[in-house]
Amino acid sequence: MKTIGFALIVIGTIMIAYTGFNFITSEKVVDLGPIKISKEVDHPIQWSPILGGVILVGGIVIVVLGRKNND
């Protein structure tokens, strides 16, 4: 369980530091024989830093409870 707790701590910290990312895809607009026109479409992925904080606290709780059970 400690491994899962540490993973949640890392993921929560990253989610607090970076609140999202974008990825770009190419979409075909016109295809008339030798003439091809495409456009790039931006797809933002966003999340709340509060969610990262909740995951971080959950990871800390799991690590602390794992240590109490081993003592």
Side-chain angles (χ1 to χ4, degrees):
M1 289 299 273
K2 286 184 189 178
T3 307
I4 294 172
F6 286 124
L8 288 176
I9 290 170
V10 170
I11 291 169
T13 304
I14 291 171
M15 287 180 73
I16 291 172
Y18 299 102
T19 58
F21 62 93
N22 294 326
F23 68 94
I24 298 173
T25 59
S26 182
E27 184 177 289
K28 193 183 303 184
V29 177
V30 177
D31 188 5
L32 297 171
I35 300 173
K36 296 180 182 178
I37 301 173
S38 62
K39 69 175 184 175
E40 292 183 344
V41 180
D42 188 30
H43 301 281
I45 306 291
Q46 301 290 324
W47 54 78
S48 172
I50 295 171
L51 180 63
V54 169
I55 293 172
L56 175 67
V57 170
I60 292 170
V61 167
I62 289 174
V63 169
V64 169
L65 290 177
R67 287 187 180 166
K68 285 185 179 180
N69 290 338
N70 289 337
D71 290 339

